[in-house]
Amino acid sequence: MSAETTQPFIRDLKGMAEFHAAEDLQRDVWGPDDKIDPGDLMMVIQAEGGLAAGAFVGDRLIGYVFAFPTVTPGVQHSHRLAVRAEARGLGLGLKLKLYQAEWCLERDIRLVRWTYDPLRLPNAALNIARLGATAATYHRDYYGEMGGINAGTASDRLLADWRLDGERYARCRAGTAMLTAAEAAAAHRIALPADFGSLLKADSGAASAERLRVRHEIEAAFSAGLVIVGVDAREPAYLLGRSSSNRAE
Ligand SMILES: CC(C)(COP(=O)(O)OP(=O)(O)OC[C@H]1O[C@@H](n2cnc3c(N)ncnc32)[C@H](O)[C@@H]1OP(=O)(O)O)[C@@H](O)C(=O)NCCC(=O)NCCS
């Protein structure tokens, strides 16, 4: 039986050795030539009210989440979420986010927001369809040029707004769909590549064309007052509607 088939345990990181393990995990997940968040910085941010938590199997760190307070009371910015490649698809990313939600609610934090690459379907599905975040803010080339798994493409990012109260969060906790079939059918669709990571490795020209197409379609939809409220993972697409109840007001 592999280590990853044992039930993982999630808790806040403690001690510098665990923060250094979180550095190693970042190198493994994002690639050795991407910049990582240093362990000492994560430790101090945790000490000042941030969240740095890990999923462990025995002593081995197999996933982690890192977030910090913002200037707005009750709002947290979530900077990193990662699960080691061999432990993906087992519900651990979801468990780390639910741990984060409970941690925040205990501290009266009702909104968590983070950026993610709009072209990464697993992230979009987790953030929008499973957790119930919405997105209404688009940043072109937010981080500038990046290395690792993000090398070779503009670092466009969507801002996900995850309200920890209200109907969508209740659906997240219950594991029910964010949209009814009728809402999904009526939504404005923006098609997504099924596997942007592979496309980027195989054909950087095609990946850039997809980046620009999705950028323009999302920006046009946001300008028209639409908000991303769903993701269709089977026929990959964003689903947009007029609801803005999850935004960071
Ligand atoms: C994003 C990431 C953390 C997801 O972790 P994970 O443990 O594999 O995710 P889970 O197994 O908990 O999946 C939760 C939900 O995400 C979605 N999801 C995950 N992988 C998916 C995939 N390959 N395709 C479509 N949806 C996917 C599904 O909605 C899934 O819920 P379901 O199983 O009920 O359908 C992981 O892929 C990762 O570390 N990626 C690299 C780093 C990264 O991109 N971090 C996030 C930055 S925002």
Side-chain angles (χ1 to χ4, degrees), residues 29-30 81-83 87-95 114-116 121-123 125-127 130 233:
V29 168
W30 278 277
L81 170 73
V83 172
R88 288 188 196 152
L90 304 172
L92 202 50
L94 174 64
K95 285 196 182 106
W114 62 92
T115 63
Y116 76 97
L121 181 61
N123 304 43
L126 171 61
N127 295 339
R130 185 63 188 83

Side-chain angles (χ1 to χ4, degrees), residues 11 13 36 58 66 69 72 81 86-87 106 142 158 165-166 168-169 187 189 197 210 213 242 249:
R11 62 165 172 77
L13 298 182
I36 58 161
F66 171 49
T72 311
L81 170 73
E86 69 272 17
E106 279 167 18
Y142 194 50
L158 274 170
D165 45 27
R168 286 176 71 93
Y169 185 65
R189 295 177 71 92
E210 279 296 83
R213 177 187 65 79
R242 298 223 163 254
E249 246 76 62

Side-chain angles (χ1 to χ4, degrees), residues 151-154 196-212:
T153 179
F196 182 69
S198 298
L199 184 67
L200 187 58
K201 277 187 215 147
D203 185 345
S204 65
S208 295
E210 279 296 83
R211 168 71 72 213
L212 294 181

Side-chain angles (χ1 to χ4, degrees), residues 157-170:
R157 293 292 180 268
L158 274 170
L159 185 69
D161 295 308
W162 191 29
R163 290 223 67 93
L164 304 181
D165 45 27
E167 211 179 308
R168 286 176 71 93
Y169 185 65

